[in-house]
Amino acid sequence: MKYNIALIGFMGSGKTTVGKVLAKSLDMKFVDIDRAISCKVKKTIPEIFEEFGEAYFRDLERSIIEEESADNNIVISTGGGAIIDNVNIKNLKNSSFVVFLDCDIETIYERVKRSKHRPLLLNSNNLLEHITNLHEKRQLLYEISSDFSIKINSTTNIYDSVEKIKNAYISS
Ligand code: S3P
């Protein structure tokens, strides 16, 4: 059994919400990578994108994931784009049981459509189309990067998801 659990999945798939409950029920520490990035730079994620650009954000994301992966007994919630970087996949896979929260597009859309803190989704003329395209590019990466996946939709009970992840983790 690996020491950590890492949650991956598209924006709005519930990584932070599920991660907090999962960590509590396993008595593990919860780490949110976006939050750690914000704390380090003392800026919000949209401010980082706006002032320094996406490449700078990805560098920070890579170094924080590397740092946190070296820790033990933690549940890591990653940003939706973490899997586009091979180094992140390697670090997460080496340190953690990687769980993909596989959420359907309609649910994602409903959850993120009013979000103001996701720079990649701001200023889009057709948000659903934009999400669909990005999702299509990433889906395979989520699948091949994970040890376990669960389907999520608008009716999914968070405690059921947590139970499924716990059982898979314990028997891994
Ligand atoms: C991103 C997802 C965001 C955040 C950043 C980029 C992405 O995290 O890391 O805005 O590329 O999908 P959430 O998945 O928590 O929204």
Side-chain angles (χ1 to χ4, degrees), residues 9-13 15-16 32-34 37 45-46 49 54 57-58 61 77-82 84 112 115 117-121 134 138 142:
F10 205 83
M11 293 172 264
S13 57
K15 295 164 299 219
T16 303
D32 184 274
I33 298 297
D34 277 352
I37 294 170
I45 302 297
F49 270 72
E54 181 173 351
F57 170 82
R58 297 296 172 199
E61 184 177 48
S77 168
T78 61
I84 60 182
V112 304
S115 167
H117 67 273
R118 292 184 167 103
L120 292 184
L121 302 183
L134 200 54
R138 292 179 174 179
Y142 291 127

Side-chain angles (χ1 to χ4, degrees), residues 38-142:
S38 276
C39 288
K40 186 161 188 163
V41 187
K42 298 192 176 57
K43 288 184 188 292
T44 65
I45 302 297
E47 282 167 354
I48 298 172
F49 270 72
E50 170 90 24
E51 290 176 35
F52 308 112
E54 181 173 351
Y56 182 81
F57 170 82
R58 297 296 172 199
D59 286 347
L60 286 169
E61 184 177 48
R62 192 183 313 106
S63 74
I64 302 269
I65 288 179
E66 185 167 3
E67 223 172 85
E68 295 297 346
S69 296
D71 204 349
N72 288 331
N73 213 36
I74 59 173
V75 174
I76 307 171
S77 168
T78 61
I83 43 74
I84 60 182
D85 188 308
N86 281 332
V87 177
N88 294 339
I89 297 180
K90 190 186 98 219
N91 282 325
L92 292 171
K93 281 190 91 104
N94 284 343
S95 64
S96 313
F97 181 65
V98 182
V99 178
F100 170 30
L101 303 192
D102 189 3
C103 187
D104 69 77
I105 291 185
E106 290 70 27
T107 305
I108 289 171
Y109 174 71
E110 286 304 318
R111 288 181 181 174
V112 304
K113 65 183 180 189
R114 284 184 202 88
S115 167
K116 295 274 176 281
H117 67 273
R118 292 184 167 103
L120 292 184
L121 302 183
L122 298 174
N123 312 318
S124 165
N125 293 332
N126 186 334
L127 184 60
L128 183 57
E129 194 179 281
H130 181 53
I131 289 172
T132 307
N133 289 338
L134 200 54
H135 188 270
E136 210 172 280
K137 282 191 198 136
R138 292 179 174 179
Q139 181 71 7
L140 186 63
L141 280 172
Y142 291 127

